[in-house]
Amino acid sequence: MSVADVAIVGAGVVGCAIARRFTLQGAKVVLLERGADLLSGASKANSAILHTGFDAPPGSVELNCMQAGYAEYQAIRESLNLPLLETGAMVVAWTDAEKASVDGIEAQARANGIHDVRRLTSADIRKREPHLSPRALEALLVPGEHVIDPWSPFLAYLLQAKAHGAEILFGSEVIAGRFDGDVWTLQTGTGERRARTVINCAGLYGDRLDARLLGTASFQVRPRKGQFVVFDKAAAELLRTIILPVPSERTKGVVLTRTAFGNVLVGPTAEEQQDRERATVEDETLRALIARAVEMIPALSTVDVTAVYAGLRPATEEKHYRISVHGDRNWITVGGIRSTGMTASLGIAQHIYKLYEEMGHRHAPVADPVSPQMPNLAEHRPRDWQSPGYGEIVCHCEMVTLREIQQALSGPLPPGNFGGLRRRTRCGMGRCQGFYCTARLAELTAGHFEAPLAVGDAA
């Protein structure tokens, strides 16, 4: 059996970015994911905001990773055909108490190197966002905050890694492992794998993986649920800028933002729970989110809600990232990567590779990396249906074409389930939530998924 240089456990946003970084640095990588597709766990639900780090703890690993990740995403996004919806953000004070906090937020932003922030009066706010409630008292404008596609970048990272030899295995939960002083032998759902170094990116199960294979865990995951409400695309004309609340010590709070797909999103909540698998939505909470959105933009009261969802974040008993190196065991843990993980992912990958080098490992970097071209799903850029030869429109709500479906299913890293196909194409994610296109999608995906799409018999 061959021995990889590195086994990465978990194909969330961090695991995908680390797989790309290590592969491009010349390491032989195997990525082990328990789910049927990438982003199957905590990473599949996020607000898709590319943060500047203006409010991150000064001098922290989190801040450094966020800013390194932000810079690398900006540097590589065009080569991978990844979108950026330039919006800027406003931290809005709605009360006198919140207004008193803006000075501190501005000072922290400048201390973190974000020098283009500026204060907006209530009149400035109304000029920039005429649909925002006049109750907004003051704001701090952060021009560098933007919106991205929450899923395509991570598929791009894995495609790039795979193109340079990375082995990507789904359905491969790490069940057990032993270390002989040089090499780890891991028992997984798809058989035995060997690697010299293990990088634990297991997200919601990161503490349990440490405990299972190292005998102890230095942190405890405390799943934090976030519920979201998605307004119909008609809402996009009501909002230009990301609306951020004055954050608390515990959470960044409820955000109102456009999405790259042309909707408006409000959320997340921050609810601690024990369950690491199920993220349910509750009517009362969703009604509160809608009410909060309408408080901020009253005209949203006339816009339909398209979708609701919830996700779990791998929070821990402490706020900071839980990154640790176990040099005597050839093991690196990347735990407690909370809501900033999407922005920070590429920076975390850089940071982890430096730690790996400090363990004494070196490889020859790839001289001329290939750059897979991602299909564009963002509403503000040309879509596939606008080019000839697309075949048919399969999902009319999101204008998803037959060509997009076929390319996703036949690509080098095809979806392992319907959720993966939705994230690659947005089929079934529009106003009807798949009511009209599911039968056609069941035909097109027959034989591709272990659990086929279920379609009722009309007879």
Side-chain angles (χ1 to χ4, degrees), residues 300-315:
L300 283 174
S301 64
T302 64
V303 180
D304 291 336
V305 168
T306 298
V308 298
Y309 64 94
L312 296 174
R313 308 193 283 280

Side-chain angles (χ1 to χ4, degrees), residues 56-375:
S60 64
V61 170
E62 180 179 7
L63 172 62
N64 292 338
C65 290
M66 288 177 71
Q67 294 189 332
Y70 183 104
E72 186 169 358
Y73 181 82
Q74 292 278 29
I76 66 174
R77 67 179 181 81
E78 289 186 359
S79 69
L80 298 172
N81 195 36
L82 296 172
L84 181 78
L85 180 61
E86 298 187 18
T87 59
M90 293 191 299
V91 182
V92 177
W94 299 92
T95 66
D96 288 336
E98 290 178 348
K99 188 176 177 180
S101 299
V102 177
D103 281 346
I105 298 170
E106 180 178 2
Q108 185 172 354
R110 295 188 185 282
N112 286 351
I114 313 301
H115 298 295
D116 59 351
V117 296
R118 60 188 170 90
R119 301 287 274 269
L120 300 181
T121 65
S122 58
D124 295 332
I125 295 170
R126 280 194 289 277
K127 185 175 180 181
R128 184 178 177 92
E129 293 293 343
H131 297 284
L132 201 66
S133 166
R135 290 181 50 252
L137 300 177
E138 188 176 334
L140 182 70
L141 178 67
V142 189
E145 301 263 310
H146 299 307
V147 172
I148 66 173
D149 177 335
W151 306 304
S152 296
F154 307 99
L155 177 59
Y157 303 161
L158 281 199
L159 287 172
Q160 198 169 29
K162 185 177 175 66
H164 290 286
E167 189 177 11
I168 297 161
L169 301 171
F170 298 115
S172 297
E173 181 180 8
V174 175
I175 302 164
R178 64 180 184 279
F179 181 58
D180 65 6
D182 183 38
V183 173
W184 278 95
T185 301
L186 303 174
Q187 306 296 326
T188 82
T190 53
E192 201 170 84
R193 308 291 168 184
R194 303 186 74 207
R196 298 192 184 284
T197 300
V198 175
I199 302 178
N200 174 5
C201 303
L204 289 161
Y205 291 88
D207 56 342
R208 291 186 179 177
L209 185 66
D210 270 14
R212 186 182 307 160
L213 271 68
L214 298 180
T216 184
S218 60
F219 63 99
Q220 181 183 22
V221 171
R222 296 179 177 176
R224 187 171 296 164
K225 183 170 73 173
Q227 300 186 51
F228 294 87
V229 171
V230 181
F231 287 92
D232 189 70
K233 298 186 181 198
E237 64 183 23
L238 302 175
L239 183 65
R240 167 187 169 194
T241 312
I242 301 165
I243 306 300
L244 301 173
V246 173
S248 69
E249 177 64 22
R250 180 167 167 266
T251 174
K252 283 182 171 294
V254 173
V255 176
L256 188 65
T257 179
R258 292 169 62 188
T259 73
F261 313 122
N263 302 91
V264 167
L265 179 76
V266 63
T269 55
E271 308 162 59
E272 292 195 359
Q273 65 174 44
Q274 296 295 316
D275 194 325
R276 302 186 186 215
E277 291 287 340
R278 297 179 67 247
T280 58
V281 293
E282 284 88 38
D283 288 346
E284 184 177 353
T285 303
L286 298 175
R287 283 195 294 271
L289 282 174
I290 293 169
R292 180 65 188 130
V294 171
E295 279 182 6
M296 290 189 274
I297 298 183
L300 283 174
S301 64
T302 64
V303 180
D304 291 336
V305 168
T306 298
V308 298
Y309 64 94
L312 296 174
R313 308 193 283 280
T316 73
E317 69 276 29
E318 296 180 17
K319 187 176 178 180
H320 61 89
Y321 290 177
R322 312 305 294 270
I323 295 174
S324 58
V325 176
H326 305 265
D328 60 329
R329 309 293 299 277
N330 289 6
W331 183 283
I332 302 175
T333 296
V334 190
I337 308 301
R338 55 194 190 96
S339 58
T340 56
M342 191 198 71
T343 293
S345 58
L346 290 170
I348 292 171
Q350 294 178 28
H351 179 65
I352 299 304
Y353 193 76
K354 288 178 184 174
L355 296 177
Y356 175 78
E357 284 188 322
E358 289 171 5
M359 294 167 67
H361 304 292
R362 293 287 189 282
H363 304 286
V366 174
D368 189 16
V370 301
S371 296
Q373 295 299 291
M374 301 307 297

Side-chain angles (χ1 to χ4, degrees), residues 370-402:
V370 301
S371 296
Q373 295 299 291
M374 301 307 297
N376 173 57
L377 305 180
E379 198 80 356
H380 64 289
R381 302 174 69 207
R383 292 283 308 278
D384 187 67
W385 64 269
Q386 295 168 301
S387 297
Y390 57 77
E392 66 178 84
I393 302 294
V394 177
C395 169
H396 285 261
C397 295
E398 292 297 317
M399 299 299 284
V400 181
T401 70
L402 176 62

Side-chain angles (χ1 to χ4, degrees), residues 394 418 428 433-443 445 453-455:
V394 177
F418 184 48
Q433 291 290 292
F435 182 85
Y436 290 106
C437 63
T438 298
R440 179 63 173 135
L441 288 167
E443 290 178 4
T445 59
L453 278 175
V455 179

